[in-house]
Amino acid sequence: MPISWSTATSTCSTPRWPASCPGRCRRSVSSCSTRHTTSITSALRLSVSASASRRWKALNETCGASRKRLIGRFKATDANRLRAEYNRLVDGLAQRGNLPISDAWLANPALPDDILKEAVPGNIRRAEHFLAVLRRLVRFLDGRLETETVENEMPVSFVASIHSQAGIDQKMLRFCYDRLHSLMLTLEITDTDEFMHIQTICDFATLIGTYTRGFSIITEPYDERMPDIRDPVIQLSCHDASLAIQPVFDRFQTVVITSGTLSPIDLYPRLLNFNPVISRSFTMSLTRDCICPMVLTRGSDQLPVSTKFDMRSDPGVVRNYGRLLLEMSSAVPDGIVCFFVSYSYMDGIVNSWNEMGILQDIMQHKLVFIETPDVVETTLALDNYRKACDCGRGAIFFSVARGKVAEGIDFDRHYGRLVIMFGVPFQYTLSRILLARLEYLRETFQIKEGDFLTFDALRQAAQCVGRVIRSKADYGMMIFADKRYSRHDKRSKLPGWILSHLHDAHLNLSTDMALHIAREFLRRMAQPYDKMGSGGNKTLLTEEDLQNMAQDAMEM
Amino acid sequence: MGSMTIGAKYKTTLKDPGTTGVLRMNEDNFTFTPNDPRSAMKLNVDFRSIKGHKFNKVDGSKPAPPLLNILKDSDKGGGYMFEFDNVSNRDLCRDFVARVLGKQQGTVPPRLSVLPENSITSSGPEQLSSAEMQWRMKLLQEDSELQKLHKKFVLGNILQESEFWATRKNLLDDEANKGSKQRPGFKSAMLADVRPSADGRTNKVTFSLTTEIIHQIFAVKPAVHRAFLDFVPKKMTEKDFWTKYFRAEYLLRTKNIVAATAEAAEDEELAIFLKNDDIVAKEARLKIKRVDPTLDMEADAGDDYIHLLDHGIIRDGSKVTIDTDSDLARRTLLQDLNRHAAVVLEGKTSDVELTDTKTVAEALAKSRKEPHSSSVSDDTNHERLAKVARMIEIEDLQAPRSLPYAPLCIKDPREYFDSQQANALRSLGGNNDGRHIRSSRLSADDAFHHLLDQISSVKVNGLNCPVVHSDVALKVLNELNEGISRSRRLNLKNPQEGLLGQIPRRTRDELMDHWTAIQELLRHFWSSYPITTTVLYNKVQRVKDAMTQIYQKLQDIKESAQPDVRHEISKLVKPMTQALDAAFNHDLDQQQKSSKAGNKPNGF
């Protein structure tokens, strides 16, 4: 029985920092790169969602079972141990041996210091009392799921209604996470998977008890797109990325944030709520023009292409996109990666291509592999894709922007000589969570909705196309296939390293022109080149070169 | 070829301090005269008794004297060992010996051919393994084209043996690796995705099957294959089997879940086709353990929140809600595509002639069993580690890695000449059909005015004199006739023969030989840039000389050709001369650059 109750809460408020951060030294430098920053700024959805009442029941049962098992366990356990635990809880969590103020905070939801220092409130110190509180909480949530309308609440009002209906106050909620953690440690429970759901509930409770702003609780009785199918979900959504990064700034004196997709660079300090000491954008030091970004606005029949809502299902656009891929697959060696704006769009367009016969033509040139929601299948597809590229057969990989592949898999060298971004990967704008987040951003940071959406979409696009080049010796082409990329307000939000290679002549291409450019580029790049180079043109710098450069910089 | 005289030490064994003396060599024999006239170490050996030579590698790491061993008989190992003062002397000598031997053995008929495989390498391991020599010999014997090239360049002293083979290293490796012929794989097209054809009048759809399609269906869907082996012919006939299969396929295609469920409940054989393929699922579980660790997304599933099935990105707009309880297949096109591509990539394992469904099924079953026994976890583990190691290194700092690839077998490379020529011609702006556009000196405007003038003059003067002069008319007629007959001749010809078909066979072969020779030379020419060592410099000079010769020969062919094919020949020759011109120009540029710079870059 798949239960879609997420475990998000427990960890997601703190993105996974490099574990090598030197421990207690205040002067240490913490640096984080793309994946971390993306997870902070974009998502940070501390979403706790329970969907489908049926599943909810199952969850309820497991929670009940978990509780019973807990009770069973502590009845059997030595009373002395429980006694000792009680004492520890009185003294405050910080004094316990098993939760020292150390790097353990990295694994917890961002708990304020006072939680660690304060003593656990008296009415949940005893295990059976705590379990009763949990039971009431679950019953309360169960009741909220019965709703027929979409509700969007701030944590304060939600906590107030919990207090009035279930008799649990904010302080008790705040300690749920730690109380459960402590209980499970005391009972020496190892099969934590079984208690995952009750943990999720406790995480949820702790978060709403701790934060009064920056979050909202959204209850949806059904999916917006399928209003006749009941599928209730409670989601706790975090709108404020600065909450997650705050502990890092508090703990480390020097924080370096680096990424290839931090643009526009001035937006990040606002989103993450800090004052940068130095913010600098560096150009890529390439020995040759090894990336070739292009904006394709028209298809082979000179009609505009776009994934705009009114155009995306137009057969002409679908065909033009297909022809583009077909032409490219016959001209580009080895691997090609395609990114689509969403799963459903990819599914639709691949089916259309299949019916039009374009897919069959494409398969004459290269094998086709596709990302699916199934992780195992996607992994195998990726593995096969690499094999096909390795053996010279050549392959195409279809993937989704914001998907797992776009976030984590590199298509460097022959694994990706061309990446095509079909459309602009805007978020689904009717999503309740997004709407709530946009509202928060507007009220708190005065960031306009349109600006944020464009920024987010272009960052995703840059993230996708950036997969293709990972080193100086590598080379690859990037095609932004949508007429909207030719507009300055969109394009200018791309990172500098792409813009600096985006020539004016490549801004408004049709399929045939793009094909011509691609052929030229590939011919030029495929030549063997001298890695040693001469002067400042070296791919590999020696120690001497570095010293010379440093001297030059000093003289200037 | 002449002769050479050089000071050397003759050694009977490796430990022998040696006798100093003078080594004289000419085309027929070599003699050694010791400095000490009393010494008995005088030699006079006929080169015909020599089978090959060996030499040692000398680098700075260990103080070894440069040696050359001229072998009397490669099997017995008897020979004459000489020690030289320095490496360059030795190399001169070695090259001389190689040349003499090559010349001698080149004249030997090919069936005896002991081509100078033994006289090899200026760098790399001091001597080649006998296996590699045999491969080289085999390659030369199998490929007459290669042999011709080898004779022309290596024996013509344009390229060194090692240089010649260096570009063909892959060829050697492939031969060494498998030595079997290329196996045909599955077609890229999704044959298994049989589309029904409806006749439009009745309520009937027709699926058509061939053995090839069946083979692909079996390969892509192992469960169907298993069902076939189980049911046919014990339980049902083959026809019934396929009818059921396509019925299930049709239900899936129309996404008629209700009907599919109903049918599956009634007919348990049909239900097999509707269910998820358990064999594929099992294979997937095995394969997932062997994937590249950097790709293993299952391993870090749960580290982020993208996988969560809420109303987020994954369920973005999907129309159908999926009943997770049903064990009926929810196969999508995307999954089919992935599965198909994976099967194509794996390739066929059997070479059985596809004649009968039963044999297809059995052959496939046999080939399925084989890999199971051989898949050793130890091996895969090792492979996995190698993959990890490869992913963590920084590419900028590494030498380029040559990946294993599936070699292409081309029956006759000449068949591709035409297409290459066509491309070259297209880029020249010429047209392909044998006619060329006459460049007109008159613009359209001029012609129009001219015509107007003529008409007005006719209007004024009346048609008292012919508009066109008779001699002009005759000329035009002749020209047109010629054009028509030429195009008819072209059209009547076998279209596949193309340009080449019009030229006499002898000239054609000659041209082809030149073409392959030019390709080989150009490859060596361009690969020697940038010139960083004397060796490369000398090589470029040699290659350049050879190219000049060929250039001359091409010109000769062009001039001596019959008038009726001269035009065609010149068109064929043009891309070749252009390629050569480009090379010459490059060379000129480089020379100018280096002379301008005064100091030679890279010390050369």
Side-chain angles (χ1 to χ4, degrees):
Chain A
M1 169 78 62
I3 294 171
S4 80
W5 183 266
S6 78
T7 57
T9 2
S10 64
T11 53
C12 67
S13 61
T14 43
R16 287 154 297 132
W17 299 105
S20 57
C21 288
R24 298 185 171 86
C25 174
R26 281 289 290 189
R27 293 187 55 83
S28 62
V29 174
S30 160
S31 71
C32 45
S33 180
T34 329
R35 275 199 77 176
H36 299 120
T37 40
T38 35
S39 60
I40 301 163
T41 50
S42 72
L44 208 93
R45 268 176 45 206
L46 302 179
S47 67
V48 173
S49 53
S51 62
S53 50
R54 191 163 46 80
R55 294 184 202 148
W56 172 252
K57 292 235 172 63
L59 177 72
N60 214 340
E61 280 156 22
T62 32
C63 285
S66 306
R67 278 199 315 268
K68 286 202 190 89
R69 225 165 289 143
L70 279 176
I71 295 167
R73 286 293 281 275
F74 78 66
K75 289 255 169 73
T77 318
D78 186 2
N80 285 336
R81 285 230 305 269
L82 282 172
R83 187 74 219 162
E85 184 204 11
Y86 183 87
N87 288 336
R88 276 205 307 276
L89 295 178
V90 174
D91 294 344
L93 292 167
Q95 273 80 47
R96 285 181 312 175
N98 49 17
L99 188 68
I101 305 177
S102 67
D103 285 345
W105 63 271
L106 290 169
N108 300 337
L111 291 180
D113 274 352
D114 53 341
I115 281 207
L116 295 175
K117 291 186 188 113
E118 237 175 305
V120 172
N123 42 8
I124 55 171
R125 270 181 218 161
R126 289 191 64 87
E128 53 265 43
H129 294 166
F130 175 57
L131 290 184
V133 164
L134 280 185
R135 189 178 297 134
R136 289 208 301 278
L137 181 62
V138 170
R139 204 172 294 140
F140 170 78
L141 290 176
D142 208 1
R144 292 305 291 256
L145 276 173
E146 298 291 312
T147 180
E148 292 298 324
T149 54
V150 178
E151 285 167 47
N152 184 356
E153 281 171 286
M154 298 301 280
V156 180
S157 66
F158 197 78
V159 168
S161 62
I162 291 180
H163 187 62
S164 62
Q165 289 175 37
I168 306 169
D169 64 7
Q170 190 195 354
K171 199 172 177 196
M172 281 152 79
L173 286 174
R174 256 166 79 177
F175 282 93
C176 276
Y177 169 82
D178 270 297
R179 184 64 192 87
L180 182 75
H181 188 71
S182 151
L183 184 61
M184 285 176 63
L185 278 178
T186 312
L187 299 178
E188 291 170 348
I189 289 167
T190 48
D191 47 348
T192 45
D193 276 0
E194 281 190 47
F195 298 94
M196 205 171 71
H197 308 298
I198 195 77
Q199 277 174 348
T200 311
I201 299 274
C202 288
D203 295 345
F204 175 72
T206 303
L207 280 168
I208 56 170
T210 310
Y211 293 103
T212 51
R213 48 178 289 283
F215 284 85
S216 58
I217 296 130
I218 299 167
T219 316
E220 287 180 277
Y222 47 76
D223 191 337
E224 205 64 12
R225 287 145 292 192
M226 293 174 282
D228 46 342
I229 296 160
R230 192 174 161 75
D231 187 13
V233 175
I234 297 180
Q235 300 190 69
L236 173 67
S237 171
C238 173
H239 307 313
D240 195 348
S242 64
L243 292 177
I245 195 87
Q246 200 52 48
V248 179
F249 288 133
D250 289 345
R251 184 172 176 83
F252 297 102
Q253 193 166 18
T254 316
V255 178
V256 182
I257 300 178
T258 63
S259 172
T261 49
L262 284 178
S263 91
I265 205 162
D266 54 327
L267 192 58
Y268 281 82
R270 280 159 80 196
L271 284 178
L272 297 181
N273 194 21
F274 67 97
N275 287 318
V277 182
I278 305 171
S279 103
R280 196 65 60 79
S281 173
F282 296 101
T283 54
M284 280 215 284
S285 56
L286 297 172
T287 34
R288 49 178 194 169
D289 274 341
C290 61
I291 62 171
C292 177
M294 297 179 241
V295 174
L296 183 129
T297 55
R298 287 161 291 140
S300 44
D301 56 2
Q302 306 300 324
L303 289 175
V305 290
S306 177
T307 55
K308 249 165 83 175
F309 193 71
D310 50 342
M311 282 177 77
R312 65 167 59 177
S313 50
D314 179 359
V317 173
V318 171
R319 183 173 292 111
N320 270 332
Y321 275 149
R323 300 290 310 175
L324 168 67
L325 182 57
L326 175 59
E327 299 278 356
M328 287 297 165
S329 67
S330 66
V332 178
D334 300 325
I336 296 181
V337 195
C338 300
F339 286 101
F340 297 89
V341 289
S342 70
Y343 270 110
S344 58
Y345 181 66
M346 178 170 80
D347 194 52
I349 203 168
V350 169
N351 274 298
S352 309
W353 286 347
N354 188 34
E355 275 149 31
M356 288 174 180
I358 295 176
L359 196 64
Q360 286 74 12
D361 292 342
I362 291 172
M363 282 162 72
Q364 291 297 321
H365 297 290
K366 291 181 191 297
L367 294 175
V368 174
F369 296 96
I370 306 180
E371 176 183 7
T372 63
D374 181 358
V375 188
V376 175
E377 191 175 344
T378 307
T379 306
L380 288 176
L382 272 171
D383 196 49
N384 283 325
Y385 170 81
R386 288 216 166 158
K387 274 187 204 149
C389 290
D390 282 342
C391 77
R393 181 70 174 75
I396 302 179
F397 196 83
F398 289 168
S399 178
V400 178
R402 299 168 197 281
K404 281 206 81 147
V405 174
E407 291 290 336
I409 305 292
D410 288 345
F411 293 97
D412 54 340
R413 294 169 293 153
H414 59 291
Y415 296 134
R417 288 301 183 205
L418 167 68
V419 54
I420 306 178
M421 178 74 236
F422 290 105
V424 186
F426 281 113
Q427 288 191 54
Y428 174 62
T429 42
L430 294 179
S431 147
R432 296 280 167 187
I433 292 173
L434 182 62
L435 289 177
R437 177 140 195 247
L438 287 175
E439 196 186 321
Y440 182 84
L441 286 175
R442 193 185 54 227
E443 282 171 2
T444 323
F445 301 114
Q446 286 78 46
I447 294 170
K448 278 188 234 146
E449 282 104 332
D451 281 354
F452 179 77
L453 287 174
T454 317
F455 148 79
D456 181 65
L458 270 290
R459 191 172 51 79
Q460 286 297 337
Q463 167 80 13
C464 291
V465 299
R467 306 273 99 201
V468 86
I469 184 154
R470 295 279 108 178
S471 84
K472 276 182 179 178
D474 198 1
Y475 62 91
M477 294 183 291
M478 305 150 177
I479 295 182
F480 297 94
D482 194 306
K483 65 171 182 175
R484 287 173 287 177
Y485 286 111
S486 66
R487 285 173 48 182
H488 182 261
D489 62 324
K490 298 269 186 318
R491 197 178 65 235
S492 60
K493 295 203 169 57
L494 285 172
W497 61 272
I498 294 180
L499 283 179
S500 65
H501 285 84
L502 187 56
H503 310 300
D504 285 344
H506 294 182
L507 288 183
N508 188 11
L509 300 174
S510 63
T511 304
D512 43 341
M513 291 151 82
L515 188 67
H516 181 74
I517 294 170
R519 287 214 169 102
E520 291 278 303
F521 176 79
L522 288 167
R523 193 171 299 160
R524 198 165 66 240
M525 284 300 129
Q527 306 303 323
Y529 85 106
D530 192 11
K531 277 191 188 167
M532 286 301 112
S534 55
N537 233 4
K538 280 185 178 173
T539 303
L540 245 184
L541 296 174
T542 59
E543 196 182 337
E544 201 178 322
D545 292 327
L546 273 179
Q547 279 164 356
N548 285 342
M549 282 166 77
Q551 258 180 13
D552 288 350
M554 293 279 274
E555 279 161 21
M556 281 162 72
Chain B
M1 203 171 272
S3 60
M4 75 182 289
T5 308
I6 214 160
K9 273 186 192 166
Y10 174 65
K11 299 167 102 168
T12 44
T13 64
L14 204 62
K15 299 252 169 62
D16 188 0
T19 325
T20 49
V22 178
L23 179 65
R24 286 194 187 84
M25 294 196 277
N26 60 32
E27 284 185 59
D28 295 317
N29 58 356
F30 66 89
T31 59
F32 181 76
T33 322
N35 289 348
D36 183 0
R38 286 165 300 167
S39 167
M41 290 299 182
K42 275 181 197 156
L43 289 174
N44 186 351
V45 183
D46 196 333
F47 262 125
R48 269 171 297 189
S49 66
I50 298 302
K51 289 284 178 286
H53 70 256
K54 285 180 183 171
F55 59 94
N56 66 341
K57 188 182 178 179
V58 179
D59 50 13
S61 59
K62 51 177 189 227
L67 295 173
L68 178 71
N69 194 357
I70 301 176
L71 300 169
K72 213 157 42 180
D73 191 330
S74 26
D75 297 336
K76 287 176 199 154
Y80 307 94
M81 204 187 299
F82 295 98
E83 187 190 310
F84 295 86
D85 297 333
N86 52 39
V87 182
S88 61
N89 274 355
R90 197 273 311 272
D91 286 358
L92 275 174
C93 228
R94 178 200 63 202
D95 291 348
F96 186 88
V97 172
R99 237 176 294 147
V100 173
L101 289 177
K103 203 173 166 208
Q104 266 184 5
Q105 285 151 356
T107 55
V108 177
R111 61 192 165 78
L112 294 176
S113 88
V114 188
L115 280 155
E117 263 67 49
N118 305 359
S119 56
I120 306 172
T121 51
S122 63
S123 60
E126 55 184 295
Q127 90 193 67
L128 289 158
S129 65
S130 62
E132 193 168 350
M133 283 178 209
Q134 273 176 357
W135 283 122
R136 285 184 182 186
M137 260 148 84
K138 191 166 160 254
L139 269 177
L140 282 179
Q141 275 167 9
E142 276 174 1
D143 192 342
S144 63
E145 199 108 307
L146 198 65
Q147 199 177 7
K148 235 185 262 173
L149 274 181
H150 184 265
K151 210 160 144 187
K152 203 180 220 163
F153 292 135
V154 179
L155 308 185
N157 196 27
I158 293 161
L159 296 174
Q160 283 174 8
E161 183 83 30
S162 56
E163 287 169 352
F164 182 78
W165 287 110
T167 51
R168 293 183 169 72
K169 199 128 186 68
N170 285 330
L171 212 59
L172 289 170
D173 290 348
D174 296 341
E175 282 292 321
N177 281 345
K178 57 188 190 80
S180 67
K181 67 176 169 38
Q182 188 171 355
R183 271 200 311 252
F186 282 111
K187 283 204 173 137
S188 306
M190 280 181 78
L191 295 175
D193 188 27
V194 186
R195 293 183 186 213
S197 57
D199 59 1
R201 279 171 302 172
T202 54
N203 234 348
K204 203 161 82 175
V205 289
T206 318
F207 291 88
S208 47
L209 271 178
T210 65
T211 38
E212 201 177 2
I213 296 176
I214 290 173
H215 192 187
Q216 216 184 64
I217 292 176
F218 283 161
V220 173
K221 300 168 185 169
V224 175
H225 180 222
R226 182 185 53 194
F228 184 87
L229 289 177
D230 288 351
F231 294 158
V232 180
K234 272 172 266 165
K235 236 172 157 181
M236 57 177 98
T237 65
E238 196 183 326
K239 188 156 185 282
D240 286 343
F241 179 83
W242 290 116
T243 315
K244 270 198 207 306
Y245 170 75
F246 281 118
R247 197 173 173 75
E249 281 293 294
Y250 189 74
L251 288 172
L252 283 179
R253 186 187 297 278
T254 49
K255 299 209 169 79
N256 193 342
I257 294 174
V258 182
T261 323
E263 292 241 1
E266 269 173 34
D267 188 341
E268 61 181 56
E269 280 105 32
L270 191 112
I272 289 171
F273 301 131
L274 289 172
K275 271 179 194 152
N276 280 320
D277 198 324
D278 58 327
I279 301 182
V280 172
K282 207 163 40 179
E283 274 179 13
R285 275 197 296 279
L286 277 178
K287 277 184 196 152
I288 198 88
K289 287 181 196 137
R290 276 182 279 162
V291 297
D292 196 330
T294 54
L295 295 179
D296 197 349
M297 294 194 298
E298 202 208 7
D300 57 19
D303 283 4
D304 46 33
Y305 323 108
I306 300 165
H307 64 286
L308 293 179
L309 272 176
D310 54 7
H311 295 169
I313 157 174
I314 292 179
R315 296 254 308 271
D316 173 26
S318 59
K319 298 285 181 304
V320 281
T321 43
I322 296 143
D323 194 356
T324 44
D325 288 344
S326 163
D327 61 344
L328 293 183
R330 297 173 274 112
R331 256 180 30 225
T332 60
L333 175 67
L334 305 190
Q335 286 170 323
D336 282 352
L337 282 172
N338 277 338
R339 174 76 191 141
H340 168 75
V343 167
V344 170
L345 194 64
E346 259 171 38
K348 271 185 213 177
T349 38
S350 61
D351 290 328
V352 185
E353 278 294 311
L354 306 176
T355 47
D356 168 38
T357 324
K358 196 77 195 166
T359 52
V360 168
E362 275 158 8
L364 198 63
K366 215 180 286 167
S367 67
R368 276 243 168 77
K369 272 175 205 150
E370 280 161 16
H372 259 289
S373 54
S374 65
S375 64
V376 188
S377 63
D378 197 32
D379 187 40
T380 56
N381 208 9
H382 182 73
E383 194 183 336
R384 209 180 148 100
L385 286 176
K387 272 181 187 163
V388 176
R390 204 184 310 150
M391 293 315 289
I392 53 173
E393 69 196 20
I394 301 169
E395 193 202 10
D396 303 26
L397 313 179
Q398 305 291 328
R401 178 187 307 284
S402 59
L403 290 155
Y405 65 96
L408 256 187
C409 290
I410 299 174
K411 247 190 287 172
D412 182 6
R414 286 185 179 200
E415 281 178 11
Y416 293 84
F417 178 77
D418 259 7
S419 60
Q420 284 177 28
Q421 283 298 50
N423 282 337
L425 286 177
R426 205 175 299 141
S427 66
L428 289 178
N431 52 353
N432 209 4
D433 58 2
R435 274 169 296 180
H436 69 204
I437 300 160
R438 280 179 185 280
S439 62
S440 170
R441 267 165 296 140
L442 287 178
S443 70
D445 247 12
D446 291 342
F448 182 64
H449 284 304
H450 188 69
L451 196 65
L452 268 184
D453 288 348
Q454 292 239 339
I455 290 171
S456 57
S457 77
V458 167
K459 265 184 184 164
V460 174
N461 302 336
L463 270 174
N464 50 1
C465 61
V467 182
V468 188
H469 294 288
S470 59
D471 51 337
V472 178
L474 185 67
K475 232 174 162 179
V476 170
L477 266 179
N478 277 342
E479 187 104 8
L480 281 175
N481 264 336
E482 205 187 325
I484 290 169
S485 64
R486 189 192 286 137
S487 60
R488 195 166 55 199
R489 205 173 61 211
L490 279 173
N491 292 342
L492 285 177
K493 285 260 157 69
N494 183 358
Q496 284 175 345
E497 277 185 36
L499 272 176
L500 284 171
Q502 301 150 33
I503 314 171
R505 173 170 286 277
R506 208 179 56 81
T507 329
R508 192 170 66 193
D509 286 349
E510 211 175 325
L511 271 178
M512 287 309 237
D513 287 345
H514 283 313
W515 176 240
T516 43
I518 287 172
Q519 279 184 322
E520 175 75 19
L521 285 174
L522 283 175
R523 201 176 298 141
H524 283 284
F525 178 81
W526 289 111
S527 66
S528 358
Y529 279 94
I531 298 174
T532 43
T533 61
T534 5
V535 179
L536 278 176
Y537 181 77
N538 291 336
K539 185 178 165 190
V540 167
Q541 293 306 323
R542 273 180 285 137
V543 169
K544 218 168 62 188
D545 289 345
M547 288 199 301
T548 326
Q549 279 171 18
I550 291 188
Y551 197 90
Q552 203 53 50
K553 274 183 201 154
L554 285 176
Q555 294 297 342
D556 290 348
I557 291 177
K558 220 159 62 173
E559 276 155 27
S560 65
Q562 297 294 315
D564 58 330
V565 291
R566 188 175 291 167
H567 180 65
E568 275 72 22
I569 288 188
S570 74
K571 241 194 304 191
L572 280 177
V573 168
K574 203 166 179 184
M576 305 187 203
T577 52
Q578 272 186 334
L580 290 174
D581 280 340
F584 290 139
N585 284 338
H586 182 76
D587 183 57
L588 221 61
D589 277 358
Q590 293 291 318
Q591 277 177 6
Q592 276 171 358
K593 231 182 253 170
S594 63
S595 65
K596 227 181 260 173
N599 59 334
K600 291 170 179 171
N602 299 324
F604 201 69

